[in-house]
């Protein structure tokens, strides 16, 4: 079964760092892009960025460039999303997702992680 | 970056009604447009890819059409289990954008 399993919920203080994970299984992890999507409480979906684990080619949404770092460790089939200094406005659900196609020509996310809730509060 | 304008932001319809949601891109995106359904507390689910292709296992009452800048998503006969928020999403050269979402409720 193809699946993405994300790390558990986090509660952090402003200024702290954080790295959440997304582990892929049931498919060739290095052959498919992995995207990250933010959903703030009661709000819509926002694309943050996408990484190709095969060569770590990474693209960011202009809204998130410089705010987060996306990485991947292909040896353990895991993608990461990290912050160096969290803000209260980073409080949100974060999803990783995999496109249905292994080409960069089509990015339709058919496999989603269960989501990681990040709460940032003093 | 390409902006996606989705409308309406919410709608209320009766069971069996035909429901239509539109999405307009700020520039030509060919058919690089997908539609998702999200139920409360759940991850989004892909329904339509490349503007008009029905994802495997998705009921045929869901459909999509359009190309260029104007796209339409239709539920031909609204069912109680279709209560959810629907999002369009474009992908252009690995730069993605989601529409603002449409919350569908039963009247």
């Amino acid at each position: 079964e193809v699946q993405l399993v994300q790390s558990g919920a986090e509660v952090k203080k402003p200024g702290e760092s954080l790295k959440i994970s997304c582990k892929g299984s049931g498919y060739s992890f290095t052959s498919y892009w992995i995207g990250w999507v933010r959903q703030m409480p009661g709000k819509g979906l926002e694309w943050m960025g996408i990484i190709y684990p095969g060569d770590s080619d990474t693209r960011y949404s202009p809204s998130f460039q410089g705010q987060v770092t996306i990485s991947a460790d292909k040896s353990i089939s895991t993608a990461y999303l990290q912050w160096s200094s969290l803000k209260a406005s980073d409080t949100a659900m974060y999803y990783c997702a995999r496109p249905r196609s292994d080409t960069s020509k089509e990015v339709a996310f058919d496999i989603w992680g269960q989501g990681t809730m990040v709460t940032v509060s003093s | 970056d390409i902006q996606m304008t989705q409308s309406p932001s919410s709608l209320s319809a009766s069971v069996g009604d035909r429901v239509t949601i539109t999405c307009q891109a700020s520039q030509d995106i060919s058919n690089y447009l997908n539609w998702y359904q999200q139920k409360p507390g759940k991850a989004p689910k892909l329904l339509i890819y490349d503007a008009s292709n029905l994802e495997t296992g998705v009921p045929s009452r869901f459909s999509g059409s359009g190309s260029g800048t104007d796209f339409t998503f239709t539920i031909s006969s609204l069912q109680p289990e279709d209560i959810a928020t629907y999002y369009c999403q474009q992908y252009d050269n690995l730069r993605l954008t989601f529409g603002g979402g449409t919350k569908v409720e039963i009247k």
Side-chain angles (χ1 to χ4, degrees), chain A residues 22-102:
Chain A
C22 169
K23 183 174 177 60
S25 63
Y27 72 99
S28 174
F29 185 74
T30 55
S31 299
Y32 289 78
W33 293 81
I34 293 276
W36 286 95
V37 175
R38 182 176 81 174
Q39 187 166 38
M40 299 176 76
K43 302 298 184 183
L45 305 173
E46 301 173 90
W47 174 67
M48 302 177 72
I50 196 165
I51 186 167
Y52 189 73
D55 61 7
S56 291
D57 184 3
T58 307
R59 316 291 173 90
Y60 291 93
S61 161
S63 299
F64 292 93
Q65 179 85 49
Q67 307 304 308
V68 297
T69 301
I70 294 170
S71 60
D73 184 342
K74 59 186 179 183
S75 69
I76 55 172
S77 300
T78 301
Y80 301 97
L81 177 65
Q82 68 180 91
W83 296 259
S84 59
S85 181
L86 286 160
K87 302 184 280 285
S89 57
D90 293 318
T91 294
M93 180 70 82
Y94 293 89
Y95 293 102
C96 62
R98 193 210 76 169
R100 63 187 305 279
S101 170
D102 61 359

Side-chain angles (χ1 to χ4, degrees), chain A residues 39 47 62 105-107 109, chain B residues 1 34 36 38 50 91 95:
Chain A
Q39 187 166 38
W47 174 67
K105 294 296 185 185
E106 180 194 285
V107 186
F109 294 123
Chain B
D1 271 12
N34 308 313
Y36 298 86
Q38 186 181 33
D50 294 348
Y91 58 96
R95 295 179 81 87

Side-chain angles (χ1 to χ4, degrees), chain B residues 11-106:
Chain B
L11 65 88
S12 182
S14 300
V15 172
D17 280 356
R18 184 180 186 88
V19 168
T20 299
I21 299 168
T22 64
C23 218
Q24 184 171 59
S26 58
Q27 65 188 69
D28 190 336
I29 57 169
S30 184
N31 67 332
Y32 300 156
L33 193 283
N34 308 313
W35 292 95
Y36 298 86
Q37 174 193 66
Q38 186 181 33
K39 296 184 177 181
K42 299 292 189 182
K45 176 186 176 182
L46 178 65
L47 300 180
I48 303 286
Y49 64 95
D50 294 348
S52 60
N53 294 296
L54 194 67
E55 175 69 346
T56 303
V58 173
S60 60
R61 63 180 180 275
F62 296 102
S63 65
S65 64
S67 67
T69 60
D70 295 303
F71 300 86
T72 301
F73 172 80
T74 300
I75 307 173
S76 61
S77 177
L78 186 67
Q79 300 301 303
E81 61 267 32
D82 300 336
I83 299 315
T85 301
Y86 294 84
Y87 295 92
C88 63
Q89 172 244 315
Q90 69 81 24
Y91 58 96
D92 173 63
N93 199 26
L94 289 173
R95 295 179 81 87
L96 284 61
T97 320
F98 286 94
T102 298
K103 187 173 184 179
V104 175
E105 298 175 319
I106 295 286

